[in-house]
Amino acid sequence: MVDPSQALPRALRGVQGASITIARMPMLTAELIQRVEPDVVLAPLFSPDHDILDLARLLDRVGYAGPLRAYAPPLPNTAIVRAEVQQIWGDRDFEILEVPGPAGA
């Protein structure tokens, strides 16, 4: 999980059988990715200092090519966001998890 700017949404809490590593954007290096070997990277769609596009660019630079998941409250048009991310992330696995209510609820 990268830069959780608020509490993890209720819909994503209590996941069992998973190990979670929390990292801030400045911590993301090729060495960290190699050491942790994440099955998936999860981050808020928008954070105070960056958004999922910034994260996708950084992950691409450090060599991460696995699944990327963004979480956000329901959006009016996820296709627009997906198209923007696809320009950076290409055909790699990207999904938006729409979670009900405010992200901290």
Side-chain angles (χ1 to χ4, degrees), residues 32-93:
L32 178 67
I33 295 297
Q34 286 180 324
R35 183 170 44 83
V36 174
E37 296 181 357
D39 293 323
V40 63
V41 171
L42 173 68
L45 187 62
F46 298 104
S47 291
D49 298 327
H50 64 275
D51 62 24
I52 202 69
L53 297 172
D54 299 320
L55 178 59
R57 283 184 198 97
L58 177 58
L59 290 171
D60 186 55
R61 277 196 309 271
V62 300
Y64 176 75
L68 175 60
R69 299 292 182 267
Y71 64 88
L75 302 170
N77 190 342
T78 59
I80 292 172
V81 177
R82 284 180 209 282
E84 287 186 60
V85 172
Q86 189 175 22
Q87 291 178 9
I88 298 162
W89 205 239
D91 290 334
R92 290 175 278 184
D93 188 356

